[in-house]
Amino acid sequence: MTGSGFQGLDQLLRERIEVDGAIPGAVVLVRKGEEILFHEAYGNRQRIPALRPMQRDTVFDLASLTKPVATALCTQLLWQQGGMDPDDRLERHLGPLNDAAKRGINIRHLLSHCSGLPAWRPFYQNFPEPGRGIDAEAIIGRVLEEPLEALPGEKEIYSDLGFILLGRALEAVAGSPLDRLFEDRISRPLGLVQTGYRRLGKAPEQGAPGADGNIAATELCPWRRRILVGEVHDENAYVMGGVSGHAGLFSTCADLDRIVREVFRGSRGSSELFHREGVRTFLKRQDRLPGATWALGWDTPSLQHSAAGRYFSRNSFGHNGFTGTSLWMDLDRELAVVLLTNRVHPDRGNLAIRELRPQVHDAVMEELLPPERAAR
């Protein structure tokens, strides 16, 4: 669906993917207000052991895009319904914490990555036989034992560990597993047809994300010793059974676009799911620390070298995923770009997405905005 215009975007993607081979493939969707302006697929969803072409409805492992799309939005909905407040102490939902320093952590700290928890730890390495001994509780326990790198609220540290704990807190409040919570509160109400977690050891049900096999491959995993297709790429999420607050969600461009459309409607006060006050609260940049960029679960454009490119307004929000995924939306212009790639296939060492992602965003903006209006 290239429609009219977007020749620059189309040429960029064809050159970088189909000619240069910078990444295996991509699907891109552009929304403006209530209208989809562009939705196209490029390259291949898998290169080895055989070429399989990318399609517009290919399912992707969203990686850290799980954090805002599943975990933060579920937190927002529970807040709207009175079940969880951003200023609740983590202890309220997980029970007493042995570490006195961690008792100061609240939900806002976790959402805005200033809890003081480390960014990441290779907990999965304690499980030498991948696929056996899967134990989410063991990972939760390891996170709770991990020393803080700063006191809560004192330093911004982008943290998988914080969102692992937030996912468990959501489960405690909702009284259901995180994958069921997402399905009940977001996926089903929005009619998402290819979005959800793929729990390990459970055969995909008809209609589950990627049940038809149209899934973008990720890495030739050195730990699991196989190409990953429909199996969560993040190793810690794998050990947790494929369901976590920091990673594990699978989706398509079209389904993510439905979420974006509903967020835009919520910002206008016309969504039954995302209330205007909820959107305003969770998309408000926190600005509690010098140089911090985080809202609640969503990032905002940095002043230099932003993944969002040069033209997204200051009232923009988004997130990137390690596998090569991203979603960025400009609330002032009601413009959104969903960019899903499998840049880690077959090797995570491919870093071309760092250059390509802002180029895609700039190409979209340069198509839609006159030069004198494009600048922030």
Side-chain angles (χ1 to χ4, degrees), residues 139-140 143 160-168 240 244-246:
I139 300 299
I140 297 294
V143 174
D160 279 3
L161 275 59
F163 268 75
I164 289 173
L165 293 185
L166 180 55
R168 177 48 54 91
M240 296 180 71
S244 178
H246 76 291

Side-chain angles (χ1 to χ4, degrees), residues 288-301:
R288 294 191 171 193
L289 295 168
T293 62
W294 288 94
L296 296 183
W298 298 89
D299 202 1
T300 65

